[in-house]
Amino acid sequence: STCKRLCDYFYRYKVTSGYNDLADEAKLECQDGCEIALQVCQAGYYCNTGLMLPCPAGTYRQPVTDVSILALDLARECTPCPFGRYRSANKGKSADECTKCPIGTYANVTGSVRVSDCLRCPAGQNAAEEGQRLCKCITADSCESTIDNNVVFSNGVDYYRESIPFIGRW
């Protein structure tokens, strides 16, 4: 790790003969300190007021890359899953562990917890790939909210889809 390389650098010594116990002991103590610091707050957890708590569902925290003050400050909170993704389990360690919303759905919020947080695209729109933040219009005219002067989509309600009876088998 970066911390251990810094220990090797700061506690290096040039002795033409023999061995320097004091410098070597200081280097080993520095490396032990690095081990302790890196174990203080593991990936998937956040550390605050001396407690190591698991990141809740919908969030993650990557491992600390070094023991600088800035890196350790990042360990105090978890990062929400990005747009178009959700995570239902605790202790997420990276954004890649947040599952992408299925094709045909989207999530325009961060920190989603369930697949049901991924909303179905409105009529005339589609999410052709997994993990979409927004749906795209299928055609230039497909995102208009009226067909033959009838309102088919308003305030997030798809009146056209809701009014078509289901025909077929489940």
Side-chain angles (χ1 to χ4, degrees), residues 43-45 54-57 59-61 87 89-94 97:
Y45 292 83
C55 288
T59 64
Y60 67 94
R61 196 186 67 71
R87 179 170 174 79
N90 294 340
K91 304 177 191 173
K93 296 178 183 172
S94 74
E97 289 188 1

Side-chain angles (χ1 to χ4, degrees), residues 45-73:
Y45 292 83
Y46 68 100
C47 297
N48 210 347
T49 64
L51 297 174
M52 186 169 70
L53 303 167
C55 288
T59 64
Y60 67 94
R61 196 186 67 71
Q62 296 178 330
V64 175
T65 55
D66 59 35
V67 287
S68 69
I69 299 298
L70 294 175
L72 292 175
D73 276 346

Side-chain angles (χ1 to χ4, degrees), residues 123 145 150-164:
S145 62
N150 294 319
V151 175
V152 293
F153 185 78
S154 178
N155 297 328
V157 178
D158 186 349
Y159 295 105
Y160 183 73
R161 281 192 187 174
E162 300 298 329
S163 64
I164 298 175

Side-chain angles (χ1 to χ4, degrees), residues 55 58-62 74 77-81 98:
C55 288
T59 64
Y60 67 94
R61 196 186 67 71
Q62 296 178 330
L74 293 175
E77 59 187 28
C78 300
T79 306
C81 287
C98 297

